[in-house]
Amino acid sequence: MFDFSGTLFRIESAREWLAAVLAQAGIDAGQDEITRYAGELERVGAQPGGTQPREADLPGHLVAAWEQRDLTAAHHRAAYTALSRLAGLPWDVHDALYARHMTPEAWRPYPDTAEVLAKLGTLGVPVAVVSNIGWDLRPIFRAHGVADHIAEFVLSYEHEVQKPDPRIFRLALDALGTAPEDTLMVGDNAGADGGAAALGCPVLLVDPLPAAERPGALLPVLDTVGGAV
């Protein structure tokens, strides 16, 4: 089982995100202005897949929305567009920013993602993607040529249950037809992805660095599986 964001793929930088949306909208903004407001978006945690806001810094009216953001598509959109409005942008591009983050162009696979997934397929190891998310990420995998390596997608908003709740991992295990002790969970968040350990799954954590800065963190997965086959 693999997490999506920060594990197999990484979102573009906040600056790239904002610059792309402004360019698409035909808004002429200076480089310093883009950098400044991208920093504000990052500070408030407005980019899905990017830096998360500190819960202590969330306005009271957004606490519940943040905690429930991955349970439905509507919750996800509402939470993140509300966060972007906290950044004080001089442009009304909140919906466009949200739309941009769901496109294949906004995501980069880690350098070893395709290699590891393909090798697992060669070994006959079924793979599930288990993600806390509010939209269908399957097109991202198709666009980057790795969808055929995934047997199951278990997405929180489709089941209204989110990590670390053991139920979402149980759904993936049942779909794969594998036992917890034989199923490795690979993720980047100890709190969320570590929830698989409650069922008896071993857990491997990686660092959610930008894609170019993390060339081979997934390769140990092959060592783990290779020792078991």
Side-chain angles (χ1 to χ4, degrees), residues 125-142:
V125 177
V127 171
V129 171
V130 185
S131 178
N132 282 354
I133 201 163
W135 49 277
D136 186 6
L137 52 74
R138 294 172 182 86
I140 307 297
F141 282 74
R142 289 196 291 269

Side-chain angles (χ1 to χ4, degrees), residues 9 11 25 39 43 55 58 66 83 85 98 102 104 110 114-115 137 148 159 190 209 222:
F9 284 79
I11 193 71
R43 181 184 63 80
E55 294 197 22
L58 284 171
W66 175 254
L83 286 172
R85 288 183 170 87
Y98 188 82
M102 295 186 288
Y110 281 97
E115 175 186 355
L137 52 74
D148 290 346
H159 301 280
L209 294 168
L222 300 180

Side-chain angles (χ1 to χ4, degrees), residues 62-94:
L62 290 183
V63 171
W66 175 254
E67 292 175 347
Q68 300 172 13
R69 67 193 181 280
D70 295 315
L71 291 177
T72 71
H75 286 345
H76 196 268
R77 175 182 289 274
Y80 280 105
T81 53
L83 286 172
S84 72
R85 288 183 170 87
L86 298 178
L89 304 183
W91 319 284
D92 184 11
V93 293
H94 309 291

Side-chain angles (χ1 to χ4, degrees), residues 111-112 213-220:
D112 53 351
E213 298 176 22
R214 208 196 74 190
L218 297 175
L219 295 177

